[in-house]
Amino acid sequence: MKLTASSIRDEIIKGNMDIEDYILGKLELIRKNDKKINAFISIDSEGFLRERARNIKMGIRSGKKPMLAGIAISIKDVISTSFLPTTAGSKILEGYIPPFNATVVEKILKEGGIVIGKTNLDEFAMGSTTEFSAYGPTRNPWDLERVAGGSSGGSAASLSYGAADLSLGSDTGGSARLPASYTCTFGLKPTYGLVSRYGLIPYANSLEQISPMARSMEDLALLLKVIKGYDEKDATSIPRAEEKSYEKFKVCVIEDLVRDSDRPIKSSLYNLLYKLELEGIETEYRERLDYINYALPVYYTIAFAEASSNLARYDGKLYGKMGNSETYKKASIDTRKSNLGLEVRKRILMGVLTLSEGFKNEYYIAATKGRRLIRDEILKVTKDCILVSPVSPILPPRIGEKIDDPLKLYAMDVYTVIANLAGIPALALPSSFYNGLPIGVQFMGKPFSESSLIRLGLIIEKITGISGVIAGG
Ligand code: GLN
C-alpha cells in the first residue's frame, strides 16, 4: 500500500486499519525524530488524540464515511485552533490559545481529520527558510544540514518524514510551494478568495491563501476539496466560485522565468518538458515578460506595508504580554522590542516607511501600480496556457547560509511571488532529485483553474514516478 492519505483513509473506512494504532504510530515517529527535525511547535496529547480517534471510529461504525476519516493532519501554527496554542512562530504569542477555530480547521474536523499538532514556521510567516522562527529552525528530512524551506517549513517537513499525512500551510509569496519543492512534497496556492482566510493570522492579506500540502497529487486534491468554498466570515471569500478549466493543455515556458536558475534546476525543468512533449502535451517557448523584473520589489513593498499595519495589534494590550513601564507607549515598545524577532521588526519599519507621507507615492503607490501591470500581463498569458517554471532558482540551502543576506534570501521567491501578486492558482510538485536533494516544478494557471492544474499534476506525477515518498524511506 502506498503511504498516501487517500489510501489510508480508504483502509480505515473499510475497517482494515485501526485509527488509534495509526495515530499512536505517528506519535511514536514524532517522539523519535522531531527533536532533530523540529517540524512541530506543539503536539496534541495522546489522551485527547485517542479520544478523538475513538469518536471517529464510532461514527464510521454507525455508517459515516468522512472524507478525511482518521487522517493525521499537521497545521501551520499561523492558523487558529481553539484546542492547541497558536504562536505564529513568535515569542509574542507564546501560549496564546485562540477562542475559535479557523474555518478551514472546522472543515477538517467535520470531515474526521485528526489534527496531530501545529507546525513550525518563520515568525508571522515572514521568511523562506523557517530559520526566523522563535522556536528554532526546521531541518530538512532529506539532509539535516539544510533548510526545509519556508515559511511553511514545519508543515513540509512533517509530511516528508511521515509524521503527518496531510498538512495545511499558508502562502503569501511562496510559503507553501517553496518548502514543498525542498522536501519532495506537493503544495498548492489556491486562487485568491477560493479558501477562507478566517482564522489565519494575517501577514499580508491581499496576497495570502491557506494552502493544502501533501505527499501526492490525489491527497492534495482531497484536502483542497475539503477546505475550499465561500465563507461569509471572510470578506474576500468568493461566493459561487466557478471552475474555469482549460479545454486542452498547453504548457508555456518563458525564458525570463528560468534564466537565473542554477544548472540542476534548469535541466530538471527542461527534462520534464521534454517528457511532457513525448506525452503529446503541447509546449510553447517564449523569451520574455515585460514586467516580471518588478515582481520581487513590488511583492516585498506591498507585503511589508500590509504587515506593518497587521502587526500593530501586538502591543502588549490587545495581544502579547504587557511590559512594566509606566506609560502605554513605553510598555508597548518594550513588549515589541523584546518579543518580536529582528526580521519582523525590520519589515514593520520598512512597511511604515513606505506608507508614510513623503514616501508613499514613491514606494507603496508605485508598487500597487506595478502589481496591476504584472497581474494584467500574467492574466493575459495564462488565458490559454499554463505557465511552468522552477519553484526556486536554487537547491535547498544549508542552515545559516542565507540568513544574513536578505537580498539573497528574498531572491529565492522570484518565481513564486508572481502567483500571489496576480491572485492565480499555482501548484508545486516534485520533478526530480539532484545529489539526493529534491527539486520541484511549478505550474501557474488562470484564476479558478485548480482542476486543470490537478489533472496536469496527476500526469506529471506519473511521468516522474515521484509520489508518496518519505525521506529516507
Ligand atoms: N518568503 C516570502 C516572504 O517572506 C513569502 C512568505 C510567505 O509566503 N508567507 O514574504
Side-chain angles (χ1 to χ4, degrees):
M1 190 174 85
K2 260 203 329 186
L3 280 169
T4 62
S6 317
S7 56
I8 293 167
R9 180 256 174 207
D10 291 348
E11 297 307 317
I12 285 175
I13 294 276
K14 280 191 241 157
N16 294 338
M17 238 175 119
D18 180 71
I19 308 180
E20 257 179 283
D21 287 351
Y22 158 74
I23 291 292
L24 290 183
K26 294 293 182 201
L27 286 181
E28 186 58 36
L29 201 64
I30 293 171
R31 260 179 230 130
K32 222 170 84 197
N33 296 304
D34 211 64
K35 269 204 188 71
K36 52 178 197 267
I37 292 171
N38 198 26
F40 289 90
I41 292 181
S42 58
I43 313 278
D44 214 338
S45 74
E46 187 176 320
F48 182 84
L49 289 170
R50 273 181 189 266
E51 189 188 315
R52 172 115 181 98
R54 280 199 290 265
N55 283 339
I56 297 166
K57 241 195 289 189
M58 256 156 50
I60 296 172
R61 275 205 210 106
S62 67
K64 281 194 191 139
K65 290 190 168 65
M67 280 198 272
L68 303 174
I71 296 302
I73 302 176
S74 63
I75 294 188
K76 186 177 184 179
D77 213 16
V78 76
I79 298 171
S80 301
T81 45
S82 62
F83 48 94
L84 279 174
T86 301
T87 67
S90 181
K91 215 169 120 190
I92 208 159
L93 285 180
E94 199 173 2
Y96 163 67
I97 302 186
F100 63 95
N101 282 325
T103 297
V104 290
V105 172
E106 284 295 327
K107 289 185 176 215
I108 282 174
L109 296 178
K110 200 164 148 240
E111 287 302 334
I114 296 191
V115 179
I116 191 146
K118 304 291 294 288
T119 54
N120 200 7
L121 68 155
D122 290 291
E123 189 173 0
F124 289 104
M126 298 178 185
S128 310
T129 60
T130 313
E131 289 170 294
F132 292 136
S133 166
Y135 303 87
T138 295
R139 290 176 181 267
N140 191 325
W142 291 90
D143 178 346
L144 294 177
E145 296 310 310
R146 291 176 191 267
V147 303
S151 61
S152 318
S155 283
S158 73
L159 287 170
S160 132
Y161 83 91
D165 290 324
L166 289 173
S167 192
L168 281 185
S170 69
D171 191 310
T172 310
S175 271
R177 289 163 285 155
L178 198 70
S181 93
Y182 285 171
T183 58
C184 192
T185 55
F186 299 63
L188 181 116
K189 199 286 286 176
T191 304
Y192 189 75
L194 184 67
V195 174
S196 166
R197 286 185 299 112
Y198 181 71
L200 169 69
I201 295 181
Y203 159 22
N205 316 46
S206 79
L207 297 160
E208 58 208 5
Q209 277 286 285
I210 290 175
S211 303
M213 300 177 75
R215 277 193 313 270
S216 77
M217 223 30 244
E218 191 189 5
D219 290 354
L220 193 72
L222 172 68
L223 188 53
L224 179 67
K225 196 168 157 194
V226 171
I227 61 169
K228 72 177 184 184
Y230 174 66
D231 180 12
E232 59 180 18
K233 292 187 190 131
D234 170 1
T236 57
S237 166
I238 306 228
R240 293 177 302 278
E242 249 176 70
E243 273 290 337
K244 295 252 174 3
S245 43
Y246 293 90
E247 262 163 42
K248 134 179 182 318
F249 289 135
K250 185 162 87 182
V251 172
C252 183
V253 54
I254 299 182
E255 193 47 35
D256 274 349
L257 295 183
V258 190
R259 189 178 302 113
D260 297 327
S261 292
D262 284 352
R263 256 272 196 52
I265 310 284
K266 269 189 202 161
S267 69
S268 173
L269 184 83
Y270 282 109
N271 250 319
L272 186 66
L273 280 171
Y274 173 67
K275 289 183 190 156
L276 271 178
E277 281 172 9
L278 291 182
E279 287 292 315
I281 290 176
E282 192 186 339
T283 49
E284 190 184 302
Y285 292 80
R286 292 191 201 168
E287 270 299 309
R288 54 189 307 262
L289 285 166
D290 286 337
Y291 301 108
I292 215 63
N293 288 342
Y294 301 118
L296 270 183
V298 162
Y299 166 80
Y300 273 99
T301 307
I302 291 175
F304 292 174
E306 292 185 21
S308 71
S309 136
N310 275 325
L311 270 67
R313 71 192 76 179
Y314 306 102
D315 62 349
K317 198 169 169 207
L318 277 171
Y319 292 95
K321 315 151 199 86
M322 185 60 102
N324 296 329
S325 310
E326 56 281 13
T327 63
Y328 161 71
K329 196 172 168 192
K330 264 202 188 137
S332 72
I333 291 174
D334 274 359
T335 300
R336 287 163 81 79
K337 249 197 184 150
S338 47
N339 291 294
L340 291 175
L342 187 60
E343 178 68 19
V344 168
R345 281 185 282 140
K346 263 199 269 184
R347 291 184 185 210
I348 294 173
L349 279 178
M350 300 225 265
V352 169
L353 178 82
T354 60
L355 284 172
S356 60
E357 211 43 65
F359 289 101
K360 182 166 87 199
N361 285 339
E362 224 174 303
Y363 293 108
Y364 181 70
I365 303 288
T368 57
K369 287 181 184 155
R371 178 180 192 172
R372 172 51 61 94
L373 293 172
I374 294 166
R375 186 182 145 90
D376 288 350
E377 183 171 39
I378 293 294
L379 289 181
K380 205 162 132 201
V381 186
T382 52
K383 226 182 193 132
D384 63 349
C385 79
I386 295 178
L387 273 180
V388 62
S389 79
V391 184
S392 164
I394 55 172
L395 290 162
R398 285 175 204 288
I399 305 247
E401 190 182 324
K402 306 263 172 202
I403 198 153
D404 295 325
D405 190 337
L407 290 184
K408 275 197 190 144
L409 200 68
Y410 301 166
M412 252 190 277
D413 306 332
V414 59
Y415 304 132
T416 49
V417 296
I418 300 165
N420 305 78
L421 290 170
I424 57 170
L427 166 70
L429 76 166
S431 155
S432 63
F433 286 90
Y434 181 80
N435 283 344
L437 294 174
I439 296 178
V441 59
Q442 170 175 246
F443 294 94
M444 297 180 268
K446 61 187 170 188
F448 304 107
S449 66
E450 275 82 359
S451 65
S452 294
L453 291 184
I454 289 168
R455 264 193 302 134
L456 182 61
L458 287 165
I459 298 174
I460 309 281
E461 192 182 35
K462 267 216 189 96
I463 293 178
T464 62
I466 309 177
S467 174
V469 183
I470 287 189

